[in-house]
Structure formats: C-alpha cells, structure tokens
Amino acid sequence: VFIDLHKKGIIYRGLRMVNWDPVGKTALSDEEVIFKEVDSKLYYVKYQFVDNSNQFITVATTRPETILGDVAICVNPDDERYKAWIGKEVIVPIINRKIPIIADEYVDAAFGTGALKITPAHDKNDNELGRKHNLKALNTLDAEGKFTSEELGDDSPSPLVLSYNGIDRFELRKKIADDIAQLNQLDKVEDYKGQV
C-alpha cells in the first residue's frame, strides 16, 4: 500500500521541521514532546537599517543563538509603528546580511516590540512564515545542537562567525548576546517565563 501510494504521488519525501533530540540524535513526534515553563531571558536586539545607519528596528527574542540564520523581520500589517518600514531592509547583527521587513497578520503586535525575527530553520512558526513568504531556511545548528556556518557560505562569514563553529547552542546564546552588546545592538535583557 505504501509503495502504491508513493507511485501515485500521495506519499512524498520532503524537508520538514521536526522536534530534534541532539543527545539521542533522533526526531520526536509532537506527542512525545513535553512542554514545561522555565525561567528564561528576553533579548532586545537592534537591527540597523540599510539606508539609514542611525535608524534601528528592535526585535525581542529568547534565542539570540539563531540570529545568524535570520532571513527577515516580520511585523503586523496593521501595526502603525511599522507600516512605513514594510519593504525596507535591515542588517543582521554580526553577519551583516541584508534582510527585508515583511508583513503578516500572524505577528502579535503586543508581544515584545511587535517585530519578529524570522528564522525558518529553527522554529516551526517561522518555518511556516518562511514557506508562505518564499524565504530561504538557513540551518545554523548541526545534529548535536552545535553551531555550524556551513549553510552561510554565500555570506562570506567573518572570522568571528567562523569562531562560533562547534559551540553548543546554550553557550553560543551567551556568546552571541555578549558580541551583540559589544556592537551596541543589544538594547536590553529582561527575565522571561517561557515554554520549552
């Protein structure tokens, strides 16, 4: 039956976002994932505009270690604060990649700053937005949860970015937050209760 359905094109092979266990090196079904509330941090990161080096859009994130895989900033199209910025480009801190500011109703204007960084390779919701808006997914973590610059080849990673290779995601979270602070692009850090 499986082979028959495959031949009919009903079953196909494709890339999918999965729950990955970097210790067991295996995928987990949604039913196997147990969410729990933990004390975390919310990092407010400033993304500089391409056409105005004195202007920034600030994004709140719990995962600064994924910033190097950002491909867009998304805002709610009805959010008056950002309407004039839709379609403009900003620069991803550290890696200096130009990314667009896009709009989608998915974004909760009341959460954080109302601006959401889109990292399709590292978040299910971002992955859906990436597919919807035809954005490339750049995976920056390997099967063990360590940083890899492998998919960033076109961006000619700097020595700083290359120095992250092999660093575990939790250690990298602190390091990237420190490096963004050194660039004066970390606006603030707040305590945050989140689901992991």
Side-chain angles (χ1 to χ4, degrees), residues 68 94-96 149 152 155-165:
L68 302 181
I94 298 173
I95 199 162
N96 299 322
S149 61
L152 304 177
D155 291 324
S156 303
S158 68
L160 177 60
V161 172
L162 293 175
S163 75
Y164 298 150
N165 278 321

Side-chain angles (χ1 to χ4, degrees), residues 59-108:
V59 174
T61 181
T62 58
R63 298 185 62 200
E65 72 277 12
T66 65
I67 283 175
L68 302 181
D70 289 354
V71 294
I73 301 294
C74 193
V75 298
N76 191 298
D78 298 323
D79 191 335
E80 292 296 331
R81 297 172 294 176
Y82 302 123
K83 273 189 176 182
W85 292 353
I86 296 168
K88 291 189 178 265
E89 287 186 314
V90 294
I91 300 170
V92 179
I94 298 173
I95 199 162
N96 299 322
R97 178 189 314 109
K98 295 176 185 176
I99 61 172
I101 297 175
I102 62 172
D104 197 283
E105 297 80 16
Y106 169 79
V107 178
D108 180 358

Side-chain angles (χ1 to χ4, degrees), residues 111-130:
F111 178 76
T113 64
L116 178 69
K117 70 186 208 66
I118 305 298
T119 318
H122 297 296
D123 180 88
K124 283 188 176 187
N125 296 319
D126 287 12
N127 191 267
E128 288 301 316
L129 282 170

